[in-house]
Amino acid sequence: MTPSIVLVLAIGVLFTAGVYLLLERSLTRVLLGFILMGNGANLLFLVAGGRAGGAPIVGTTPDDEMSDPLVQAMVLTAIVITLGLTAFVLAMAYRSWQLHGHDEVQDDLEDRRVARHAARNAPAFEDLDTEESGQTLDDEAAEVHDETDADRDGITDARLGRARPTDDDEGRAR
C-alpha cells in the first residue's frame, strides 16, 4: 500500500506549523503548536499503519484481513499525551496571564549573563574565596550588582513598577 500524497503533505504541514508555533514566545502559540504536532503524529501513525482492515480480534476476522492493533494503541497514547501537554501549557498560560497580564515568556536575566560571559569566553563565576579581602560577607554582598534592583534597596524593581534608579535623600542618583 502506498500512502496518499495528500495525507503525507498534511502531515508535513501539521508538523511544520507545529514546530514554528513551538518556537514562539507566547504560550498560547506554543499550546497551538503542541496541538498541531499531536494531530500530525496521529495522522502519521494512521498512515504508517497501512490499509484499513477488520477488527483485530482473533476468530472474527481472518489473519490477513486484520488491521494492526499497535497503530490504534499508539494513536490512543498520542491522544492522551497531547491532552496532558495541552492541559499543562494551558494552566501555565493562565497563571502567566494572572501574574503578568500577558502570556509571553521573558528572557531570564541569569541566562543573559551566562550568554555574555560565554560570548567573551570568560568564566561564568569569579572565585572570591581563594583570596582574603579582609571584608565580611555582609560587606561583600553589598557590593554585588543585581540587574533587577536598580536602586539597590534589596527589593526587585520590577515588582514595584520602577525601571530606573531613584534619587536618594540627598538628591544624588545612585
Side-chain angles (χ1 to χ4, degrees):
M1 177 197 145
T2 58
S4 168
I5 191 71
V6 175
L7 290 176
V8 172
L9 286 176
I11 293 168
V13 168
L14 286 172
F15 271 102
T16 303
V19 168
Y20 176 77
L21 289 173
L22 279 177
L23 297 175
E24 295 289 326
R25 288 191 175 267
S26 171
L27 289 175
T28 305
R29 291 182 183 187
V30 171
L31 175 66
L32 292 174
F34 276 129
I35 292 170
L36 287 178
M37 286 188 63
N39 289 332
N42 292 341
L43 195 56
L44 178 68
F45 287 138
L46 290 177
V47 168
R51 63 173 178 76
I57 301 173
V58 177
T60 60
T61 308
D63 289 345
D64 51 332
E65 294 179 11
M66 279 188 198
S67 63
D68 189 6
L70 178 64
V71 175
Q72 298 170 13
M74 295 288 286
V75 169
L76 286 175
T77 304
I79 289 170
V80 170
I81 291 171
T82 302
L83 180 67
L85 280 173
T86 300
F88 178 70
V89 174
L90 189 60
M92 281 192 340
Y94 179 68
R95 183 65 177 159
S96 177
W97 185 267
Q98 281 182 330
L99 293 176
H100 306 293
H102 58 80
D103 67 341
E104 290 192 12
V105 178
Q106 301 296 319
D107 283 339
D108 186 21
L109 295 176
E110 185 66 16
D111 287 344
R112 288 187 201 169
R113 185 184 70 78
V114 169
R116 280 195 308 270
H117 282 287
R120 290 192 309 231
N121 202 12
F125 64 92
E126 295 175 15
D127 191 6
L128 299 176
D129 294 337
T130 58
E131 58 185 61
E132 186 60 39
S133 63
Q135 293 179 326
T136 65
L137 286 177
D138 292 331
D139 293 335
E140 288 178 6
E143 293 176 4
V144 174
H145 175 70
D146 185 3
E147 291 179 5
T148 62
D149 186 16
D151 57 0
R152 295 185 186 203
D153 62 353
I155 300 173
T156 302
D157 294 331
R159 288 189 289 179
L160 298 176
R162 294 189 303 229
R164 295 184 301 273
T166 59
D167 294 336
D168 61 5
D169 294 335
E170 290 101 30
R172 294 176 292 151
R174 290 185 183 178

